Structures are given as C-alpha cells and as structure tokens.
Amino acid sequence: MSIEMMIELKNVHKGFGPKKVLQGIDLAVPKGESLVIIGGSGTGKSVTLKCVLGILQPDQGEILVGGEDVTKFSTGARKRILSKFGMLFQGAALFDSLPVWENVAFGLIQGKGMNKKDAHEIAIEKLRRVGLGADVGNLSPAELSGGMQKRVGLARAIATEPEIIFFDEPTTGLDPIMADVINDLIVECVKDLGATTMTITHDMASARKIADRIAMLYHGKIIWEGTKEEIDQSGNAHVDQFIHGRAQGPIEMELLKL
Amino acid sequence: MRNPLAIIGQVVLASLAEIGSLSRFAGTAISHIVRPPIYWRLILKQMWLIGYNSLPVVGLTALFTGAALAQQIYVGGSRFNAASVVPGVVVIAIVRELGPVLGGLMVAGRVSSAMAAELGTMRVTEQIDALVTLSTDPFKYLIAPRLIAAVITLPLLVLVANIIGVLGGYMIGTGRLGLNEGTYLQVTVDFLERADVISSLVKAAVFGFFIALMGSYHGYHSRGGAQGVGKATTNAVVSAFIAILLANLIITVIVFGGTGA
C-alpha cells in the first residue's frame, strides 16, 4: 500500500448482550483525509468512534491507529495514543465545573502538563480561532448558547493540535446557518492542522461540506463507500434513500419490522 | 408462572454480579489513589464540599440526639435510682455508635446523592468520555479525589459531632434535669476511653470510604438520561446507608466483641 493509513478498522465486531451493533466493520482513513460516516440513528456510528478511542473494547477485530493495534494496548500505551486524538462531542460535553477557557486548556494542562499561564494564552488564541472573544473565556459553559458551546468544544478539540480529530454529529441541534458556520470552522481548522478526521452525522449538507470520502453504515456494516462526488450515483438503494431523506425505500421495511 | 427457584437464582446471580462489579470499581479506584499524579486542589475542593457544608446538618443531628438521649437515660435511670449514669451512658453511646453512625448517614444523604447526581450527569452528557479523549483518567481525576477527601473528612466531622452530641446531653442534663455541671463533665471524661475515640474515628473513615464509593460507583455507571441519573442517586444513598450500617456492625463486633462470658 503506497498511501499511509492513519486509521484502519478490520472486521470489527461489537455487541451489547444479545444486540449485535457492529457486525464486521472494515474502514481505512488515509493520513490527512476526512471520512464522514453517515447512517440512521442506532446503526452503530457512535459505537464505531468509541471503539477507536478505546472507550469501548471491540469483541473481535483489529483497530490500527498509525499502524498500531489499539485493541491490545495497556493503559499507559492507550494514554500515549489518546494524546494524538481530539474529539468534538455531540452535546459539546463541556465540563460545567470549569470556566470556558479552562475547558479549552484542559488537554494542555492535564494531558500535557503545561503551566496555566501558557495554557490560558493558547486557549484564548483557540477561542479566537473559532470566532469567540477573550471575554467568553471567563464565562461558565452553562451561560453559552448551543452554537457557542459547539464552538468551544471545537476549540477544545483542536487545542492540543491533535493528528486525528473525531466529530460526533457536529451540526445536530443547530440552526442551518450556525450549522454551516461550524462546518466552515471544521474544514478550516482541519486544514490548518493537516489532521485526519472521522465524522459521524446524518446531516447530508454537513457531510458534503466536510467529507473527502463518505461511508454509509447500515446494520453494523459499511454498505457503501466512495468520494462525496460519487454518492449521488452510488447505485445503492439504501444510500439513495438516505441522502434524499425518503420515508419509502428498503430502510423503511426494516424499521417496520422492529 | 415462573419457577420460583429460577427467580431466586436470578436474584442471587444479579446481586453477586453487582458486588463483583463494585469490588472491581473499588479496586481500580484504590489503585489510582496510591499512584501519582494526585490532584491536591480537587481533594481540597471535595473536602470543603463534604466537610464544611455538612457541618450544620451533622452538628444539629448530634445536638438533638445527645439531648434526647440524656432525657431518655435520665427517665430510665431514675427508676433504679441511677440518674447519675446519664453523662457516662451519653458519652459512650454518642462516641461509640450514634456520632459516627448518624453523622455518617446524614453525610451519606447529602454527599452520596450529590456525587451520584454530578457524576451521573457527567456520564450522560459524555463529559466522562470527553475526559478520556483529553488524556485524563476519570478514576484519577473524578473518583480518587472524592474517596480521599471523604476518608479524611468524615473523622473530622464525627469528632465535631461527638463533641456537640455530648454538649447536647450536657445542656439537657444540667439545664433541665438538674445534674451538677462539674460532675457531669468529670464523669464524661472518666467514662471515655481512648479505644472509644479511636474506634469512632476508624468507623468514620470507613463510612467516608463507602459514602464516596457508592456515590461515585452509581454515578459513574448511570445511563439513560435524567431518569437514569435519578435512579443512580437513589441507589447511591440506599446502598451507602446499608454499607454504613453493616460496616458499623462488623467494626463494633470486632472492637467491642465481648460476649459477656
């Protein structure tokens, strides 16, 4: 293989009790590329990300990050690999016991042991990067609107300048304009850092904007993968139904069975 | 109708699984207490939340209990012309049992629930996952400081509770029941032994451990939104109560294990 793969999933299975969520995921993300995973609610998109992060342990399969199998890691090695990651959570997941700037600086202070003064400076700089003033730094996360929380979450995700960034439904719950602002910020920040990214979303506008490649997850498997230009001619009935948001189609049949 | 034996079996298995999971959680937490880094600032913050903020409720509990105890013992003792045992019985009962147990229960009601609610909310809003992605171990950052703070703070609280409890007895004994003030304090000091105080503080430290453990465990494992957090909070308080009462019995039997034979 000539291209260096940053993240590779090989035949990953994960179940919770009798429920099989992931049933053999195969994915590969080359260094510096942006992969967007689309799929309906409950198809295992979040579980996939959490397996790569090591928050969940897959039942079977290999997950390679920078060529190392993270499923076999000890706690120490996991911490080392986690320092390569940044993540923007669906609900932003800001620590509400800390002011905004300490949220942004958290990975620098706790993860990298930077002193508070330097970390504060970087935090303010990252906040500015996502379009927030220094005064916002002293507010508590609860005082911010949803869109501002997402921006702070993005600032926190990029603060340690990670090689890999995950975005969990970055535009969910935002108005279309704010969603586009976040999409633009994601594209810019990722370009600045040259990071490899994985995004999960069911917002097609967001997927088309962020993605280099798109993969569709359905019933715990990747049923289609291609560039964002190819998705309109995928020839896959499931993908067509999803990207056009139709109630009728092969996916509906499955929903009715539940 | 299901087989009753099967139901019993399921309940036993579920309880054993829960105890196993709790023990593993406690083991992991303890292993993080003894390994650096230790977050001193977070420990101090938790000590403040657990200790200082619990003082009023623990103090009032001790004061009223000590006073009621003195009244009861006076009434009971007078039947045998033994009203003079009031100071001795009050101090023994407060220091050995009521100070640590009632203090522990009151703190559990305040603190286990608050911990479970806070950690539970952090869990369902993915803040605990966010910690992991920021290279910070949730056990080290969230749970170890709570356990350390509770184990240090509870003995201090119980010490205060013991003093206030005795004071409550003194106030009723000298103010209402007409016992001599000097004699009351003298008898109190004479009756109290070092072992009483030590066992009281050891109990408090153990109770502190269970208060923080139950709050953290149920909060950390909560799931399913607001309802899940509510359930975690209830379970934290109930299990902390049971753990405190059971641990109290075990320590009492070990320390004061005489059978009178």
Side-chain angles (χ1 to χ4, degrees), chain B residues 13-97:
Chain B
L13 282 179
S15 320
L16 287 177
E18 186 75 12
I19 291 170
S21 146
L22 180 64
S23 310
R24 218 171 49 188
F25 184 91
T28 312
I30 290 169
S31 80
H32 280 282
I33 288 176
V34 294
R35 279 183 295 157
I38 293 169
Y39 294 104
W40 295 107
R41 210 169 54 90
L42 295 177
I43 295 173
L44 287 176
K45 184 181 161 198
Q46 287 299 326
M47 285 177 70
W48 179 265
L49 290 174
I50 299 167
Y52 185 77
N53 292 348
S54 296
L55 269 177
V57 62
V58 169
L60 285 175
T61 306
L63 184 72
F64 295 150
T65 306
L69 196 60
Q71 179 68 48
Q72 284 287 11
I73 292 161
Y74 180 82
V75 173
S78 334
R79 292 187 205 158
F80 314 100
N81 252 345
S84 60
V85 300
V86 169
V89 178
V90 166
V91 73
I92 293 290
I94 290 283
V95 173
R96 283 190 182 179
E97 293 289 328

Side-chain angles (χ1 to χ4, degrees), chain B residues 223-246:
Chain B
R223 59 184 73 222
Q227 205 182 7
V229 175
K231 209 173 125 196
T233 309
T234 310
N235 288 343
V237 175
V238 172
S239 56
F241 275 22
I242 293 171
I244 286 173
L245 294 171
L246 180 62

Side-chain angles (χ1 to χ4, degrees), chain A residues 85-160:
Chain A
F85 283 97
M87 176 151 176
L88 172 58
F89 287 84
Q90 189 176 350
L94 302 176
F95 306 125
D96 35 34
S97 58
L98 298 175
V100 165
W101 80 264
E102 268 192 71
N103 265 281
V104 178
F106 196 92
L108 298 167
I109 297 171
Q110 304 297 347
K112 306 213 159 169
M114 187 183 280
N115 73 55
K116 277 202 160 183
K117 195 167 156 288
D118 295 346
H120 181 262
E121 257 174 52
I122 295 176
I124 298 300
E125 156 65 23
K126 297 295 174 189
L127 284 172
R128 203 183 49 74
R129 184 73 196 77
V130 297
L132 295 172
D135 49 323
V136 176
N138 296 321
L139 298 176
S140 129
E143 295 172 80
L144 307 179
S145 69
M148 284 167 97
Q149 290 187 358
K150 275 273 163 74
R151 291 202 222 185
V152 174
L154 179 59
R156 184 174 70 179
I158 61 172
T160 55

Side-chain angles (χ1 to χ4, degrees), chain A residues 204-242:
Chain A
M204 281 314 296
S206 173
R208 286 172 198 276
K209 194 142 192 175
I210 299 172
D212 294 320
R213 294 178 72 78
I214 298 178
M216 177 148 171
L217 189 59
Y218 182 67
H219 273 229
K221 284 189 170 135
I222 301 295
I223 56 162
W224 183 84
E225 195 186 342
T227 66
K228 63 177 163 185
E229 291 78 19
E230 289 165 356
I231 198 164
D232 291 310
Q233 290 88 39
S234 67
N236 182 312
H238 289 82
V239 175
D240 272 344
Q241 186 191 349
F242 189 86

Side-chain angles (χ1 to χ4, degrees), chain B residues 100-212:
Chain B
V101 170
L102 290 180
L105 292 178
M106 294 311 280
V107 178
R110 269 196 77 246
V111 172
S112 297
S113 55
M115 282 182 184
E118 187 181 358
L119 295 181
T121 306
M122 290 187 76
R123 163 64 71 198
V124 301
T125 57
E126 298 189 301
Q127 289 180 51
I128 292 182
D129 292 338
L131 271 181
V132 175
T133 67
L134 293 165
S135 307
T136 304
D137 194 312
F139 272 90
K140 192 146 273 182
Y141 187 79
L142 295 174
I143 291 160
R146 283 170 167 76
L147 282 171
I148 296 172
V151 170
I152 297 174
T153 312
L154 257 283
L156 299 174
L157 271 175
V158 165
L159 197 63
V160 174
N162 288 343
I163 294 168
I164 294 179
V166 169
L167 186 72
Y170 174 84
M171 281 160 63
I172 286 277
T174 59
R176 186 165 190 275
L177 309 172
L179 298 173
N180 179 283
E181 290 158 15
T183 319
Y184 193 105
L185 290 181
Q186 189 58 49
V187 175
T188 299
V189 174
D190 288 347
F191 257 80
L192 194 62
E193 284 173 22
R194 181 180 299 188
D196 297 330
V197 178
I198 291 173
S199 78
S200 183
L201 299 184
V202 167
K203 279 183 179 181
V206 172
F207 297 169
F209 177 78
F210 281 116
I211 286 168

